[in-house]
Amino acid sequence: MSIPPPPGPHQPQGPFTPGQYAPPPPYPYPPYPPYPPYGHPAPVNGVAIGALVLGLLCFVPAIGLVLGLIALAQIKKRGERGKGMAIAGSLLSSVGLALWTLALTTGAAADFWDGFKGAANGEGTAYALAKGDCFDSPTGNLEGEAYDVDRVTCSRPHDGEVFAVVTLPGGDFPGDDEVTRTADDRCYALRDGYAMDSWAVPDDADVYYFIPSRQSWRLGDREITCLFGSTEENGKLTGSLRNDPTTLDADQTAFLSASNTVDTALHEEPEEYPEEDLAANRAWAKDVHAVLGEQIQELRAHSWGAKAKQPVADLIKEMQEAHKEWARAATAKDADTYYAHYDNGYDYVDGPATVTARKALGLDTTAPTYDEEPEGGGESGDTGGLDV
């Protein structure tokens, strides 16, 4: 059996004898495009690839369209592959060119570019907020994920007020649970440093926070933003909650510093009742006794103004009596005895002497209500804060 020669022009190799094929007669047609070497596929046209890439990106659609047309002409002439890519690139570039024309005529392109620059600079994003900033959330609440916020003046109703910004160390993303735990610990610890007068904080205000998400971490976000927000549905805060040494006088700062230190110790009460774990409660009472004694000395050492001097002295006397009761609670032999001294030790807290001293110092005189504080702040979401 004879094997026909490969495509293309061939020259006879000598005189033909019977049984051999004679060369075909010439035809009056133009020659075919050159073929690649036998057994190798035709190369892909590089211009067609460029046309497809630019068509997909749509950044310079006019160039993509021109390259597509050039590629089609080259493919026809050279016998290369890539016709489909050239056509697809031309079509995509045509669509992109139409969209760019529409964007330029409506101003959408300028808006997009402004938004892109703002995102790159952190402007309008949750992690662009600083301590003391007040803001509104686009959703009107502090749940879920936050991509941008609107900074507003604190004198008008607002969704949140930033009281601290905590920067996390670099490295790999530690995970949502770890970031949330850190935010919970740090934000509650820093709350009283910003709003030193807890009596002036509205009952519906609680601690929330913005935390980095896995996605924002890749973009360099390392900040936990601690903030106050309302626990009421569609609730708003009005006015700044900031009262710290930048807004308080020396007497107010000294008084609140001592009060908050004692309150912190009181809030560390064991979860177990004295009937369940008397030793743990006695150890806690010993700590309260020590802290109370230190703060009595701090208040005595401060030079008080004429108006506050006597009211603070009266409060110190009650604190001294409470100091003795906590010492007795720390050595109680049974739960009943412990409870008796425990109650006496708490008598002065938020009592008449405290209210009188606060009034003399120009501080809020309405004691807050102490509802049980939910774990993770006032947040009803999964993490106790917002992902950004």
Side-chain angles (χ1 to χ4, degrees):
M1 177 182 293
S2 298
I3 301 176
H10 296 275
Q11 299 296 327
Q13 301 299 316
F16 286 87
T17 58
Q20 287 184 310
Y21 290 98
Y27 288 92
Y29 297 108
Y32 289 103
Y35 286 90
Y38 184 69
H40 295 278
V44 178
N45 185 271
V47 180
I49 298 175
L52 179 60
V53 171
L54 292 176
L56 290 172
L57 296 177
C58 289
F59 286 158
V60 279
I63 297 179
L65 177 59
V66 172
L67 290 180
L69 297 176
I70 294 174
L72 289 172
Q74 291 181 350
I75 289 170
K76 183 177 180 181
K77 181 178 180 181
R78 302 174 183 173
E80 295 176 324
R81 293 183 296 146
K83 184 177 180 180
M85 289 188 288
I87 294 174
S90 298
L91 291 176
L92 290 172
S93 294
S94 299
V95 173
L97 187 60
L99 292 176
W100 270 104
T101 302
L102 178 63
L104 291 173
T105 56
T106 60
D111 293 341
F112 169 80
W113 181 244
D114 289 341
F116 179 81
K117 290 191 296 182
N121 295 327
E123 297 173 0
T125 61
Y127 42 90
L129 294 170
K131 180 178 179 179
D133 285 344
C134 295
F135 66 91
D136 281 335
S137 166
T139 60
N141 59 59
L142 299 176
E143 300 178 3
E145 295 187 353
Y147 298 98
D148 57 15
V149 294
D150 297 320
R151 191 182 288 105
V152 298
T153 177
C154 295
S155 60
R156 54 160 280 187
H158 50 273
D159 293 325
E161 179 178 356
V162 178
F163 64 81
V165 176
V166 177
T167 301
L168 298 173
D172 295 335
F173 182 64
D176 293 328
D177 292 342
E178 179 63 20
V179 173
T180 300
R181 184 194 64 77
T182 301
D184 208 49
D185 292 343
R186 298 295 302 276
C187 288
Y188 274 98
L190 295 169
R191 171 185 54 181
D192 291 342
Y194 183 87
M196 294 185 67
D197 188 0
S198 59
W199 289 29
V201 176
D203 289 340
D204 68 325
D206 207 343
V207 172
Y208 293 78
Y209 36 78
F210 290 127
I211 58 176
S213 63
R214 187 176 297 275
Q215 292 74 21
S216 69
W217 188 274
R218 296 193 187 103
L219 298 176
D221 179 19
R222 299 291 186 273
E223 293 183 347
I224 295 173
T225 305
C226 306
L227 53 104
F228 287 112
S230 175
T231 59
E232 300 292 334
E233 184 176 0
N234 299 321
K236 297 280 188 178
L237 302 177
T238 302
S240 176
L241 300 182
R242 185 169 196 165
N243 46 77
D244 59 12
T246 66
T247 62
L248 301 171
D249 62 35
D251 286 354
Q252 292 171 328
T253 301
F255 179 86
L256 292 173
S257 178
S259 298
N260 290 342
T261 301
V262 175
D263 286 345
T264 298
L266 293 173
H267 289 161
E268 294 173 354
E269 183 175 0
E271 295 182 1
E272 298 81 6
Y273 292 110
E275 299 92 332
E276 302 168 341
D277 193 343
L278 180 60
N281 283 269
R282 287 171 51 177
W284 168 68
K286 183 178 180 181
D287 291 339
V288 174
H289 170 264
V291 171
L292 192 57
E294 293 170 357
Q295 297 313 308
I296 289 173
Q297 295 301 319
E298 291 291 333
L299 293 175
R300 281 177 171 170
H302 183 77
S303 298
W304 299 97
K307 189 175 181 180
K309 188 173 183 178
Q310 188 57 49
V312 172
D314 293 340
L315 176 61
I316 290 175
K317 289 180 181 179
E318 292 198 5
M319 293 174 69
Q320 288 176 307
E321 293 301 319
H323 186 242
K324 297 175 184 177
E325 294 295 334
W326 285 109
R328 293 167 184 143
T331 58
K333 301 298 183 182
D334 54 66
D336 289 338
T337 303
Y338 176 88
Y339 276 126
H341 297 303
Y342 172 96
D343 291 338
N344 291 335
Y346 255 111
D347 275 348
Y348 92 93
V349 178
D350 299 349
T354 300
V355 174
T356 301
R358 281 179 158 272
K359 184 176 181 179
L361 290 165
L363 297 172
D364 198 291
T365 57
T366 303
T369 56
Y370 294 103
D371 295 329
E372 185 176 352
E373 191 172 79
E375 184 69 22
E379 173 62 25
S380 60
D382 294 333
T383 64
L386 289 91
D387 290 334
V388 296

